[in-house]
Amino acid sequence: MALVAAGTKSVELSVPSRSEYVAVVRLVVASLATGTRNLAADRIDDLKLAVSEACTNAIEANRKAGLDAPVIASCWEAPERLEVCIADSGTGFEPSTLSAHPEVSDPERLNFERGLGIPLIRSLVDDLRFESTPQGTKVWMTMFGGPDSGDATTEIVRTVVERD
Amino acid sequence: MALVAAGTKSVELSVPSRSEYVAVVRLVVASLATGTRNLAADRIDDLKLAVSEACTNAIEANRKAGLDAPVIASCWEAPERLEVCIADSGTGFEPSTLSAHPEVSDPERLNFERGLGIPLIRSLVDDLRFESTPQGTKVWMTMFGGPDSGDATTEIVRTVVERD
Amino acid sequence: MELGLHVDTSNPPFTVIVVRGELDVYSAPRLREALVELVSEGHRKLIADLEGVEFLDSTGLGVLVGGLKRLRSNDGDLSLVCTQARVLKVFDITGLTGVFRISSTLEDALAG
Amino acid sequence: MELGLHVDTSNPPFTVIVVRGELDVYSAPRLREALVELVSEGHRKLIADLEGVEFLDSTGLGVLVGGLKRLRSNDGDLSLVCTQARVLKVFDITGLTGVFRISSTLEDALAG
Ligand SMILES: Nc1ncnc2c1ncn2[C@@H]1O[C@H](COP(=O)(O)OP(=O)(O)O)[C@@H](O)[C@H]1O
Ligand SMILES: Nc1ncnc2c1ncn2[C@@H]1O[C@H](COP(=O)(O)OP(=O)(O)O)[C@@H](O)[C@H]1O
């Protein structure tokens, strides 16, 4: 799957790498998904949560890189999907090497106060792609469901699209 | 008074020149003013309204210029003030030549379905400046009141600052 | 936030149009269409109930002024119901408080 | 949306911390501090009432897990009150539903 977005860019939001601005990013994405799309309320909550996780990681990445760079959220709209990209200027990472979590029954589970973010994003959005280089990371999140389709399409398109 | 903003740029939001996105700009500015400042609720309403008027004009300016350019909202934060700039790529105008409205008692008053925007902005924000060229217009709006000061400062600073 | 429009004809000769949500450049055209349609259908004594309006800017205001003009030129009238400071303020600043009859309750508007 | 934290000690031996608002990377540190303080003051049977939580992400979750660990290692416990689907979903996906005792009402939590 190509790493370029499928739709037309609509909104771009740049905020400082500070935790108090994550709420603004959530707000914008939720308002787009509500106002110009037709996503069900629980899917909008899913998107807000995914965006929040990605922004939290982006702020952390900029901070670790010692950069006063912004976090940039871009939204791309296509008839059947909304794509949100969260970009930072950190030093990047290799998503495939992230260690898996222990099973829920494992007593070790309790040691995981962190490392929950990306697994959460993965289970919340319809498609997730990373574009990570030593110059920065882009996290692309896709939600299916168009302006008119509502959630009927979501399930259909979800089934059709191949996940990798 | 210089045309550059007094504070540090925090948020920049770029939206398509389409009326459905004005609500998103209002939302972002209001959330900034609520979350990271300490403005009273009615002053936040004032700012939302002023931003709405400026965005409506910016969309119209881009449309008239036949451009598919975005409207760009930038926010600058200083300890004692929040500045919001709404920028378009239209052909500009000369704010000082705008005709005044007839008096309220004048029967002509009813003919003014338009031309209410800039007078409204002027009476809502603490300071208003235009930077208009044939390449585009920037409308700078300032609200006094810092993160901690609340509205006490507003009145004080308002009195001190010279309005032109 | 969608604009909600609801037409209530249960109080003849008045027609009440209940407006909810944000009335700005995006949503105002829908109110304009609704007002034009009501006038063309013969409604003459209109009341716009703005109590549920959460945001009103000059574009929304322009549509209300346009509606008032249209009605007056058809021997009708458009009055408003509104108690919200946030909304009343916009009428005040623009000097339109003196142009519209603004009531605090629908009952008052119907009585007038 | 500010985080609201309210400590209620009117049900000994339980201490209830009522959490309101959005629990994310910005606000979670305040909850962490509050939990640390309560433990250091000797509170051992904590109940976090999450009914007023409008948003919870993994940072907020991490603080709750951290609080649970801290209490268990001090012979205490932290249980939760929550019925909101939106919030429960986060516990579900991360497999933490099995780690916390989650009650539907404060009464249930106090009874447990
Ligand atoms: N944008 C990013 N830039 C650099 N590293 C990242 C980024 N996002 C995630 N990571 C890495 O992946 C790890 C796992 O992320 P995540 O699952 O969100 O959990 P957490 O952030 O709580 O550690 C992070 O600790 C970090 O090392
Ligand atoms: N950003 C802008 N670019 C170009 N012209 C503008 C801009 N803003 C305002 N104007 C001009 O000023 C006039 C008055 O604006 P305003 O008071 O907001 O009322 P209205 O937009 O309803 O006409 C507009 O009609 C337009 O000609």
Side-chain angles (χ1 to χ4, degrees), chain C:
Chain C
M1 166 49 66
E2 276 298 292
L3 184 73
L5 294 178
H6 172 75
V7 175
D8 174 2
T9 54
S10 62
N11 293 290
F14 292 99
T15 303
V16 181
I17 178 158
V18 184
V19 189
R20 285 208 179 78
E22 300 195 325
L23 204 47
D24 69 357
V25 63
Y26 174 56
S27 57
R30 284 193 42 221
L31 177 61
R32 178 184 293 118
E33 282 164 31
L35 291 175
V36 169
E37 200 177 310
L38 287 173
V39 174
S40 74
E41 286 171 4
H43 299 266
R44 287 293 174 272
K45 294 178 89 59
L46 254 59
I47 300 172
D49 182 343
L50 306 181
E51 281 300 87
V53 170
E54 283 156 27
F55 180 83
L56 173 75
D57 70 10
S58 77
T59 314
L61 215 50
V63 166
L64 292 171
V65 172
L68 179 64
K69 272 167 57 178
R70 185 176 297 265
L71 278 152
R72 292 214 176 142
S73 66
N74 282 281
D75 294 316
D77 198 15
L78 170 65
S79 78
L80 310 176
V81 177
C82 181
T83 58
Q84 287 194 70
R86 171 173 44 183
V87 173
L88 289 175
K89 182 171 188 175
V90 187
F91 286 93
D92 264 346
I93 300 177
T94 52
L96 289 169
T97 316
V99 171
F100 285 97
R101 196 161 54 81
I102 305 180
S103 309
S104 300
T105 63
L106 182 57
E107 289 63 44
D108 284 355
L110 292 168

Side-chain angles (χ1 to χ4, degrees), chain A residues 36-48:
Chain A
T36 68
R37 322 287 303 171
N38 198 14
L39 287 179
D42 62 335
R43 302 243 60 214
I44 290 169
D45 286 336
D46 290 351
L47 182 59
K48 278 172 76 172

Side-chain angles (χ1 to χ4, degrees), chain D residues 29-103:
Chain D
R30 283 192 43 220
L31 177 60
R32 179 184 294 119
E33 282 163 31
L35 291 175
V36 168
E37 200 177 310
L38 287 173
V39 174
S40 74
E41 286 171 4
H43 299 265
R44 287 294 174 270
K45 296 178 88 59
L46 254 60
I47 299 172
D49 183 343
L50 306 181
E51 281 300 87
V53 169
E54 283 156 28
F55 179 83
L56 173 74
D57 70 9
S58 75
T59 313
L61 216 50
V63 167
L64 292 170
V65 172
L68 179 63
K69 269 167 58 179
R70 186 176 296 266
L71 278 151
R72 291 217 176 139
S73 65
N74 283 281
D75 293 317
D77 198 14
L78 171 65
S79 78
L80 310 176
V81 178
C82 182
T83 58
Q84 286 194 72
R86 172 172 44 184
V87 173
L88 290 174
K89 183 172 188 174
V90 187
F91 286 93
D92 264 346
I93 300 177
T94 52
L96 290 169
T97 316
V99 171
F100 284 97
R101 196 159 56 79
I102 305 181
S103 309

Side-chain angles (χ1 to χ4, degrees), chain B residues 57-58 61 64 88 92-93 98 114-119 137:
Chain B
N57 287 346
K64 272 194 197 153
D88 63 59
F93 75 120
L98 292 181
R114 302 211 36 185
L116 299 170
I118 291 175
T137 299

